[in-house]
Amino acid sequence: MNQEIAAPRTPLHQFTVPLSATRRGARLARLLAAEQLRSWQVPSDPARLIVAELAANAVTHGRVPGRDFRLGLAVTAPPATLRIEVTDTRGERLPVRTAARSAGAESGYGLLLVAELADRWGVRSGPVPCKTVWAELDLQARR
């Protein structure tokens, strides 16, 4: 997990949307992200998978009844970077990076997948009661 990098970048494209903290909301996050990336002519893979994992985590571990989660996408430059952010309202429940899972575990691999697919990822606390899990993809290396 990386700490937030303070270097400001110029946003070329931005998209944010609140979604219900349900399985349907998580699925919609993936579909909306794929469509938005297509409209920006940005490769959707592996971004779709990262959005799916972060949205599923927000719904599973960050859900507060009656509160939404927020999906954010931004393409910034220079260098060309896709930033994916998922914000939920359970700021006290920060993701934990674990090195290994038990052989019979059926879940818990989402952030390991994000770590493998993303060039950088991390967590930003606040504003209370929220937290944002973010991931970045360097677009120049993926074209």
Side-chain angles (χ1 to χ4, degrees):
M1 184 164 45
N2 297 316
Q3 294 296 321
E4 185 73 47
I5 299 171
R9 296 185 187 156
T10 305
L12 301 174
H13 302 288
Q14 286 186 301
F15 173 80
T16 61
V17 62
L19 297 160
S20 65
T22 62
R23 289 175 52 188
R24 181 174 279 180
R27 180 176 181 271
L28 186 55
R30 180 181 51 82
L31 294 171
L32 288 171
E35 181 59 28
Q36 193 61 55
L37 295 173
R38 186 194 62 73
S39 75
W40 292 341
Q41 298 180 352
V42 171
S44 64
D45 288 323
R48 277 185 318 125
L49 296 172
I50 293 171
V51 168
E53 290 299 334
L54 296 183
N57 282 352
V59 167
T60 303
H61 305 293
R63 183 175 188 274
V64 173
R67 295 195 179 165
D68 296 337
F69 74 95
R70 180 174 298 277
L71 168 67
L73 303 172
V75 176
T76 59
T81 302
L82 171 64
R83 184 173 176 99
I84 301 163
E85 295 185 341
V86 174
T87 302
D88 66 52
T89 54
R90 293 291 300 267
E92 77 281 3
R93 293 188 73 181
L94 297 177
V96 177
R97 175 176 279 180
T98 56
R101 295 285 176 189
S102 66
E106 292 183 14
S107 65
Y109 293 98
L111 289 178
L112 292 173
L113 180 63
V114 170
E116 286 298 314
L117 294 174
D119 294 304
R120 290 165 298 285
W121 78 278
V123 180
R124 183 179 70 239
S125 295
V128 173
C130 298
K131 73 170 173 301
T132 299
V133 181
W134 58 268
E136 289 185 339
L137 297 169
D138 296 330
L139 296 177
Q140 297 299 346
R142 298 179 189 279
R143 292 205 180 233

